Amino acid sequence: MPPPPPSPIRLLRSHSAQVNVICFSSAEEGYTPSNERLYTGDADGLVVVTSTRSFRALASWKAHNEGVLGIEEWQSSVLTHGRDNKIHAWTRISTMSHLTETASQKDLVVPELLYSLDVNALNFCRFSLLPMAGTAKGEALLAVPNLIESSLVDIWHLPSRRRLHAAIGKVPGSIVQDPWDTLGRGNKHTGLIMSLHIMSLSHPSSSKAPQLRILAGYENGGVCLWAYVKDDDVSIEGRGWHALWQVKAHVESVMGLALAPSHNFAISISADHLIARYSLSDEQGQIVEVNPDDINTSTNFERVVTHKTKYPGNGSVTIRPDGKVFAVGSWDGKIRLYSTKSFKTLGTLSYHTGGCQALAFAHPDASVTHVGADAKDEDNFGSEEREKRSRWLASGSVDRRVAIWELLTFAQK
């Protein structure tokens, strides 16, 4: 008989509006390991940073005039994305727990605003960030919906805030618009971009720059993989961008699209009862490189596998860092865990009384392998505690609550 589903190990009540965004902090080289902080953002624009040791707030501030769409740490800053058509860069909150965790609410840290970027937030689509390897100054590419047309994509350079690629998807004759493979489902118009991810593929020749790719989920239920096939650093009107494949697996709009950390597959969910897995690699598991002369414009149904569930109405999805397990948050408040390989149901987590809008797995903690089992830091926090923390799943809901769950390893799933 399987063990009963776990209850949350901790509940956070820091928000007075529905929680839209959750993410764990990444490791700080030379300072702290992963998962020391939990970032949460709500529909009123409030961002709260919570210590994962004491579960007390370290910082709380109104980052946006409207709801928060995304939060992510990058270098020494924290990026927040709001429905007020702004992306802000703030100073990163340091983990000075012994100084801040005893402070009253009014004394909580408010980070300094470094700079802002005007964007188009009509879509409810959060940004996607790609740190640029090999850049000494700390540079990144930021993908967001186009400033004017919400079915297209722009790519910006940070921290310069210079737009490098504009209106990806606009070039006449692009596969995504001419027409869609619908599997017999619905219209051929993409509608708004609902979710997107930017990634890069290293070129076999070390003298050439990596190839950029965009994976986008659309309002019409379709997903498309775009590739930039030119050597220029800048493009306009989508020139040089080709759709490698596209398929419409959902009856309803794509409500969530999660990219595996390995970049070789993705999972999408929708208001319908379907879950779709998209292959981004070849039979050997290698990410496929494309030559513009070899682009296949035929249908690509073999790229997607769909799984029918009994639960329509899904609002969030996330993939565990090892790529073996994914979690789906539903409008009924439940969180369902699945194997990414077989779609086998691994369990259901039940606490929230409203739709689950945000999910995040904790990062692997590399420090666990380097610290002895009995080693403790100044807060009496040892490798055993860090290992348990690396198995956490955090969830946020319309009920304004944040729940933290400690999961099994699901070995061999």
Side-chain angles (χ1 to χ4, degrees):
M1 183 177 180
S7 298
I9 63 168
R10 186 70 63 162
L11 297 173
L12 305 178
R13 298 178 173 85
S14 304
H15 295 274
S16 58
Q18 75 175 43
V19 179
N20 294 336
V21 182
I22 287 183
C23 74
F24 286 93
S25 64
S26 53
E28 295 175 83
E29 186 175 355
Y31 294 95
T32 61
S34 302
N35 310 314
E36 286 292 306
R37 300 170 296 280
L38 182 68
Y39 291 85
T40 53
D42 67 27
D44 284 344
L46 184 73
V47 172
V48 179
V49 187
T50 302
S51 166
T52 58
R53 298 192 180 204
S54 68
F55 298 102
R56 294 181 180 177
L58 301 172
S60 179
W61 77 102
K62 191 171 176 61
H64 295 275
N65 294 326
E66 297 187 43
V68 180
L69 296 176
I71 304 172
E72 187 170 340
E73 286 187 339
W74 173 58
Q75 298 288 329
S76 59
S77 63
V78 177
L79 302 180
T80 64
H81 185 184
R83 282 281 293 156
D84 55 2
N85 301 305
K86 297 285 187 180
I87 290 179
H88 296 312
W90 310 84
T91 53
R92 186 164 171 167
I93 304 297
S94 61
T95 309
M96 304 277 291
S97 58
H98 61 287
L99 295 178
T100 59
E101 289 173 1
T102 58
S104 64
Q105 186 71 23
K106 66 180 181 179
D107 295 328
L108 292 178
V109 174
V110 176
E112 177 187 356
L113 179 62
L114 301 175
Y115 57 85
S116 299
L117 178 67
D118 291 327
V119 295
N120 172 15
L122 173 66
N123 307 40
F124 290 87
C125 174
R126 64 151 285 171
F127 68 86
S128 178
L129 187 72
L130 176 65
M132 299 173 65
T135 55
K137 296 181 180 180
E139 300 174 58
L141 299 179
L142 183 84
V144 290
N146 179 256
L147 284 169
I148 299 173
E149 177 53 61
S150 297
S151 63
L152 308 177
V153 180
D154 290 344
I155 298 178
W156 297 77
H157 175 270
L158 293 182
S160 69
R161 288 164 283 169
R162 183 168 64 100
R163 187 163 63 171
L164 301 180
H165 301 276
I168 298 169
K170 187 172 184 178
V171 174
S174 297
I175 303 171
V176 70
Q177 296 181 4
D178 188 27
W180 275 78
D181 298 331
T182 64
L183 298 179
R185 301 186 178 117
N187 62 63
K188 299 175 182 178
H189 301 290
T190 68
L192 307 178
I193 289 179
M194 304 297 290
S195 182
L196 61 82
H197 295 275
I198 182 173
M199 56 188 131
S200 65
L201 173 66
S202 298
H203 197 280
S205 173
S206 59
S207 63
K208 293 188 176 182
Q211 184 186 81
L212 290 179
R213 295 191 176 183
I214 294 285
L215 184 69
Y218 293 88
E219 188 180 14
N220 75 336
V223 170
C224 180
L225 180 64
W226 297 89
Y228 187 55
V229 297
K230 290 190 174 182
D231 295 329
D232 300 331
D233 293 333
V234 178
S235 69
I236 59 173
E237 301 296 306
R239 295 187 180 95
W241 286 87
H242 292 261
L244 302 188
W245 54 260
Q246 87 296 311
V247 65
K248 185 175 184 295
H250 292 287
V251 179
E252 303 289 344
S253 301
V254 172
M255 299 301 294
L257 180 64
L259 178 66
S262 63
H263 292 179
N264 59 10
F265 73 93
I267 301 282
S268 69
I269 50 93
S270 173
D272 59 29
H273 65 294
L274 300 173
I275 299 173
R277 184 181 68 231
Y278 307 86
S279 174
L280 308 179
S281 61
D282 60 16
E283 293 78 3
Q284 286 74 43
Q286 299 297 314
I287 298 175
V288 179
E289 185 183 2
V290 64
N291 184 304
D293 298 327
D294 299 330
I295 292 176
N296 179 12
T297 59
S298 64
T299 59
N300 285 277
F301 297 156
E302 69 275 6
R303 287 283 174 194
V304 61
V305 177
T306 57
H307 174 67
K308 296 181 180 179
T309 73
K310 299 178 182 178
Y311 314 105
N314 298 305
S316 55
V317 60
T318 187
I319 301 173
R320 201 171 67 176
D322 65 2
K324 296 181 178 180
V325 177
F326 70 97
V328 174
S330 300
W331 295 349
D332 62 7
K334 292 182 170 55
I335 303 161
R336 296 176 174 89
L337 305 173
Y338 298 90
S339 163
T340 56
K341 183 177 180 180
S342 65
F343 289 109
K344 177 183 177 182
T345 301
L346 303 178
T348 301
L349 307 176
S350 180
Y351 166 76
H352 294 294
T353 57
C356 183
Q357 301 292 97
L359 291 168
F361 280 108
H363 302 290
D365 194 334
S367 67
V368 172
T369 61
H370 300 295
V371 181
D374 297 327
K376 302 279 186 177
D377 60 19
E378 60 183 10
D379 293 328
N380 204 34
F381 204 79
S383 59
E384 181 179 352
E385 288 79 8
R386 287 192 291 274
E387 189 279 329
K388 289 182 178 179
R389 188 172 61 181
S390 68
R391 292 189 276 112
W392 285 1
L393 173 70
S395 60
S397 169
V398 173
D399 63 12
R400 308 185 299 277
R401 302 289 186 262
V402 173
I404 298 176
W405 314 78
E406 186 178 298
L407 302 182
L408 302 173
T409 59
F410 296 114
Q412 299 180 346
K413 299 301 183 183

